[in-house]
Amino acid sequence: MATRPTSAQGADDFEHALSALHAASVRPEVRLTEVPAPTRIAPHAVAMTGDVLDANGEDELATGRFVLLHDPSEPEPWGGPWRVVTYARAELEPEVATDPVLGEVGWSWLVDALEERGVELVAEAGTVTRVVSESYGDLEDRSVSVEMEIRASWSPQDAQVGEHLEAWVDLLCTIGGLPPLPDGVVALPGRRR
């Protein structure tokens, strides 16, 4: 599903990055699936979807997509040959819909996840969106629903991108409402398809 590079150096770098992604450790509640990557943004790319499931493995708590792009020509806006493009989405409690700092909190969850993993990055950018859905007429018996979506991109400073994927998974777990793992507890490899 990953697009394959053609140059020898690009091939080596991208294969190293793919190995780092596949070696990433994620919580058992997380299911990662490699999906077709975009083909027009960069010469080389890999994409994964992530779903955070409840303890029974039945209900989806959060979902998202993680895309790693590699362009050896180092596009100027990226600040290097690598770019991560992500989104993460989850339903939240209706009470938070009007919280004026919800966007700041969502962004801080991403920043904290990246900092806790100790990754080196530049050119981070993104948005936090909240969607409030209210139903009327024949649908008025439905309760108000609130979704948060965090779209973010950043440029890793090397091919050690496994930690970037792990940080993104940490964000997914946070917006999905999972408590952080206690200190000293290591996540087992997540389910992959």
Side-chain angles (χ1 to χ4, degrees):
M1 307 268 191
T3 59
R4 302 293 180 192
T6 54
S7 74
Q9 182 60 48
D12 290 345
D13 291 347
F14 192 68
E15 290 301 321
H16 180 73
L18 285 176
S19 295
L21 289 177
H22 291 133
S25 294
V26 298
R27 294 173 63 147
E29 301 94 342
V30 177
R31 181 182 61 225
L32 292 176
T33 306
E34 193 168 327
V35 295
T39 58
R40 296 183 181 175
I41 301 172
H44 325 299
V46 61
M48 296 181 175
T49 59
D51 297 302
V52 178
L53 304 174
D54 67 359
N56 299 324
E58 296 173 5
D59 291 330
E60 183 181 281
L61 303 175
T63 189
R65 184 173 167 116
F66 179 95
V67 178
L68 176 66
L69 306 170
H70 179 55
D71 187 342
S73 72
E74 300 189 16
E76 186 177 332
W78 291 10
W82 302 98
R83 190 74 178 164
V84 170
V85 180
T86 68
Y87 85 86
R89 179 178 46 85
E91 191 169 326
L92 303 177
E93 297 297 322
E95 299 81 44
V96 303
T98 58
D99 189 334
V101 297
L102 184 61
E104 292 174 37
V105 169
W107 187 255
S108 73
W109 288 339
L110 172 65
V111 170
D112 291 348
L114 291 165
E115 286 177 356
E116 286 185 23
R117 292 291 177 171
V119 299
E120 292 186 33
L121 59 99
V122 296
E124 63 270 24
T127 62
V128 178
T129 305
R130 75 183 95 188
V131 177
V132 179
S133 297
E134 299 175 279
S135 301
Y136 299 95
D138 288 345
L139 302 175
E140 69 186 354
D141 58 339
R142 292 185 182 176
S143 59
V144 173
S145 68
V146 178
E147 285 189 340
M148 172 189 270
E149 182 175 275
I150 301 169
R151 292 185 177 268
S153 61
W154 63 88
S155 296
Q157 292 301 283
D158 57 39
Q160 299 298 325
V161 293
E163 293 87 359
H164 293 263
L165 176 61
E166 291 171 354
W168 174 76
V169 167
D170 293 344
L171 169 67
L172 265 186
C173 291
T174 299
I175 70 169
L178 294 183
L181 288 174
D183 286 340
V185 174
V186 177
L188 298 173
R191 294 173 279 195
R192 296 184 192 270
R193 288 196 275 161

